[in-house]
Amino acid sequence: QAEQVGAAREAATLDVRVRVGPEAGLDGVTTNPSHVFKAGRKPMDIYTEILDIVDGPVSLETVTLTAPEIIAEGRELAKLHKNVVVKIPLIKEGLKAVKVLAAEGIKTNVTVTFSPLQALLAAKAGATYVSPFVGRLDAVGHFGMELVEQIKTINENYGFETQIISAAMRHPTHVLESALAGADVCTAAFDILDQLYNHPLTYIVLNQFLTDWAKVPK
Ligand code: E4P
């Protein structure tokens, strides 16, 4: 079992290494404490590795609960690389920290967002990004995508520049609905990204084309 876990970790690392960069539609990476736990390695090792591979925003999450602690954590994380976005939970202390870090020019991603009013406060605090957790709202009987739509409306009403990261995607249709709702970014697992490429008609028609091409006199 240990070997299987090890192999899975290896594969995950390889996946990021091979796929970030040339992959269409892949602009950055988000992490959270659960992702780090599942990776089974020291956070800093994972963070520096991702930052080395990815040429785009990389969200790294703080894990403290008071503004002074979050600010200190955020400053340390931001020192790692110019691409770091400090991911901060949407609690009152978190938004205090966002305001301070934003004034210092440090990018922030306000996470675990579940209501439009929370997102309004994140925007007012100067968050660079806000992450509504769509799939987790669906899981408790809400229409999660409505949150993205409401945040979009609020941002447009007031000219907030906070970008919406549609998060906790569970299937390709979530990505479609996010795009239709005007989310600026979607964060999803690689298996969902893979599914976006696929349409059975593409393979059927391509097969017809190539079959015909083989019969063309050359
Ligand atoms: C990203 O910002 C979130 O941490 C992530 O989308 C949460 O996804 P999950 O609900 O699949 O853990």
Side-chain angles (χ1 to χ4, degrees), residues 30-32 35 61 87 109 111 131 133 136 165 167-170 187:
T30 58
T31 66
N32 66 34
H35 292 156
E61 191 156 340
K87 201 170 180 186
N109 171 2
T111 188
S131 292
F133 276 28
R136 291 197 186 228
I165 303 182
M169 300 287 95
R170 297 292 181 252
T187 185

Side-chain angles (χ1 to χ4, degrees), residues 38-85:
K38 283 174 197 154
R41 293 164 52 206
K42 290 186 179 169
M44 278 305 154
D45 292 349
I46 297 168
Y47 296 165
T48 50
E49 186 174 350
I50 294 172
L51 287 162
D52 190 41
I53 298 167
V54 179
D55 185 21
V58 176
S59 286
L60 306 179
E61 191 156 340
T62 59
V63 289
T64 50
L65 296 174
T66 68
E69 290 174 302
I70 296 169
I71 291 164
E73 259 195 278
R75 286 175 180 152
E76 286 307 307
L77 290 171
K79 277 184 204 161
L80 290 176
H81 196 281
K82 65 176 172 52
N83 287 339
V84 168
V85 177

Side-chain angles (χ1 to χ4, degrees), residues 90 95 98 110 113 117-127 129-130 162:
L90 208 158
L95 293 189
V98 167
V110 175
T113 305
L117 292 175
Q118 288 181 317
L120 170 64
L121 293 172
K124 283 181 68 64
Y129 303 97
V130 67
T162 303

